[in-house]
Amino acid sequence: MTAPDATWRQYLNRRMLICVFLGFTSGLPLFILLSLLQAWLAKSGLNVKTLGLFALVMFPYTWKFVWSPLMDRFHFGRIGRRRGWMLFTQLLLFLGIGCMGMLDPLTQVPTIAFMASVVAFLSASQDIAIDAFRREILPDGELGLGSAIHVNAYKLSGMVPGALSLVLADQMPWASVFWITAAFMLPGLLCSLLVKEPKVYGAPPKSLSEAVVLPFREFIARGGWSGALWVLGFIFLYKLGDSMATALATKFYIDLGFSMTEIGVVSKTTSLWASVAGGILGGIWMVKLGINRALWVFGVLQAIPILGFAWLAHVGANLPTLAVVIGLEAFGVGLGTTAFVAYIMRETDPRYTATQFALFTSLMAVPRTFVNSSVGYVVAETGWLTFFVICFVLALPGMLMLPRIAPWNEKPVESQTTKA
């Protein structure tokens, strides 16, 4: 957890700067798939049910723990494990994103779905390496602040495909928009070239078998099967309602009657800065609250604004209302995500960083992939207003698990770091 005596100087060190660049390059491919791809296909005339099914291309984010042991076991010679995998995936992402935009959404929908799946696979693989790298360079006292920096940079990347790219789409061909968006992967690639490989905690896995078995054995041994299932259930449920509420946000705005430029400038920009503000406040606030209490307070502030979407569905295409509703929701999500990521980092043993972090974040991605794929059908049956009320109700089960997962009055347990 973040130490109580943490100071602002911890925001200014080299490790936090690395978190900025890698957080940005980690979030960019995801927001391309969530925002830019959705807008591209929606403008081509795809119906809401087909758009909802495109959430299935996100399946690698859910299953990345399956191949994560490979990234703990194998390395790239002198480049190292973490840096090697980061560089490899970032270069392929740059090429894959650019090439995807050269396809025709009117006649090549299956090919676009395949390319989107490839981008999702590469993005999930990049996340495995970046998450492991970040966990290994951050001392225990900087986990909370490092999570805040990473989450903010991650959200900041959404401004490119969610705002800049949408504005450009009104001015130039989609193929050019995708290549310009892909170019924003390059700063992260340069960062991966310049940083040093982190120190190895303990002995690296000597075989693929060890890389697969030991991380899961350690996780189960902490609190038995019961404790492990509680942790995994909480990770699945904590952000379920929020994830569903924003699954087809761009389609929702278009249906209300907003133009692409209005969505890009008003909605996405407001969302970005409100989320960044929430992340910054969350990082600072966690210094005083601790991770346990932050999960309670930030969870409430994350769930309540979901009802704002229902209000927007009621009032219709009103720009001031759009800005307020999206801003409040993004602010709450910025708080909740900061605490959630810090919690996941605390639950990760640095000896098995890649595999355990991938397991936790894969489960975190289940709602975004499989549950969200049904969102289009739910909306088609219920309408937008009722749908958002349902999302709010689904945000409550995760909160009800907090007395067991993170008791309010219990002193948070320090992360289990094996010192080098």
Side-chain angles (χ1 to χ4, degrees):
M1 71 167 191
T2 304
D5 60 349
T7 67
W8 278 101
R9 287 177 294 180
Q10 289 179 298
Y11 279 109
L12 305 177
N13 63 38
R14 184 172 179 270
R15 291 182 296 274
M16 297 302 162
L17 184 61
I18 292 173
C19 287
V20 170
F21 280 96
L22 295 185
F24 186 94
T25 198
S26 178
L28 185 65
L30 173 63
F31 287 111
I32 288 173
L33 295 173
L34 292 177
S35 298
L36 183 59
L37 178 65
Q38 184 181 135
W40 181 37
L41 296 176
K43 293 297 288 186
S44 72
L46 263 68
N47 60 54
V48 67
K49 292 183 178 181
T50 305
L51 281 174
L53 289 174
F54 254 83
L56 292 175
V57 305
M58 311 288 280
F59 74 91
Y61 289 98
T62 304
W63 293 99
K64 63 183 179 181
F65 68 91
V66 173
W67 65 90
S68 60
L70 297 173
M71 304 175 78
D72 263 338
R73 173 66 181 90
F74 299 106
H75 60 87
F76 287 72
R78 293 182 179 180
I79 299 177
R81 284 188 306 171
R82 307 309 182 205
R83 291 178 64 242
W85 284 108
M86 288 192 297
L87 287 167
F88 178 70
T89 53
Q90 287 162 358
L91 179 60
L92 291 182
L93 278 168
F94 167 71
L95 297 174
I97 293 167
C99 291
M100 181 169 61
M102 300 176 69
L103 299 172
D104 185 352
L106 294 178
T107 61
Q108 296 178 294
V109 172
T111 306
I112 292 173
F114 171 77
M115 284 297 299
S117 299
V118 171
V119 170
F121 174 80
L122 293 171
S123 177
S125 300
Q126 178 195 216
D127 287 351
I128 296 172
I130 288 178
D131 289 339
F133 180 89
R134 188 176 78 258
R135 179 62 183 93
E136 291 171 7
I137 66 170
L138 290 177
D140 290 355
E142 294 182 358
L143 290 183
L145 296 176
S147 297
I149 293 293
H150 175 81
V151 169
N152 283 336
Y154 195 99
K155 290 287 187 178
L156 183 66
S157 69
M159 187 175 184
V160 177
L164 175 63
S165 299
L166 297 186
V167 174
L168 291 177
D170 280 340
Q171 312 296 328
M172 61 179 62
W174 281 103
S176 300
V177 171
F178 271 84
W179 276 112
I180 292 172
T181 307
F184 282 87
M185 289 295 303
L186 300 180
L189 192 151
L190 180 61
C191 177
S192 298
L193 282 172
L194 297 177
V195 297
K196 296 180 180 180
E197 183 75 3
K199 294 180 180 179
V200 176
Y201 291 94
K206 298 178 181 179
S207 66
L208 186 57
S209 176
E210 284 190 2
V212 172
V213 174
L214 293 182
F216 293 95
R217 180 183 296 172
E218 187 279 332
F219 176 56
I220 300 300
R222 290 185 211 170
W225 279 102
S226 175
L229 290 175
W230 271 91
V231 170
L232 295 178
F234 174 72
I235 291 174
F236 172 80
L237 292 171
Y238 188 68
K239 292 185 68 64
L240 175 61
D242 162 66
S243 178
M244 286 187 63
T246 57
L248 289 177
T250 301
K251 173 63 175 174
F252 171 53
Y253 306 146
I254 292 174
D255 283 356
L256 287 182
F258 294 105
S259 70
M260 295 293 288
T261 298
E262 287 174 332
I263 295 171
V265 175
V266 179
S267 170
K268 300 299 184 178
T269 304
T270 301
S271 174
L272 168 70
W273 294 114
S275 180
V276 168
I280 293 174
L281 179 60
I284 299 171
W285 204 351
M286 266 198 297
V287 173
K288 301 296 182 181
L289 286 177
I291 293 176
N292 279 24
R293 294 187 176 186
L295 288 169
W296 288 72
V297 177
F298 298 172
V300 172
L301 296 177
Q302 171 184 265
I304 291 177
I306 295 175
L307 294 175
F309 282 114
W311 174 248
L312 182 61
H314 174 70
V315 301
N318 180 280
L319 280 177
T321 303
L322 176 70
V324 171
V325 169
I326 295 301
L328 290 176
E329 192 273 342
F331 181 78
V333 171
L335 290 171
T337 303
T338 298
F340 194 42
V341 171
Y343 168 78
I344 290 177
M345 292 183 73
R346 191 179 71 186
E347 291 297 311
T348 303
D349 189 310
R351 291 172 296 178
Y352 316 113
T353 312
T355 301
Q356 287 187 351
F357 214 123
L359 172 64
F360 297 151
T361 53
S362 291
L363 190 61
M364 177 181 171
V366 169
R368 190 174 63 223
T369 304
F370 295 103
V371 178
N372 287 4
S373 67
S374 65
V375 164
Y377 290 87
V378 177
V379 172
E381 294 296 326
T382 66
W384 287 109
L385 192 153
T386 303
F387 166 71
F388 290 122
V389 174
I390 293 172
C391 291
F392 171 75
V393 173
L394 291 176
L396 301 180
M399 295 295 298
L400 295 176
M401 297 181 71
L402 284 174
R404 172 67 181 268
I405 292 294
W408 178 269
N409 291 319
E410 181 178 282
K411 184 179 180 180
V413 180
E414 296 287 346
S415 59
Q416 304 175 32
T417 305
T418 303
K419 302 299 180 183

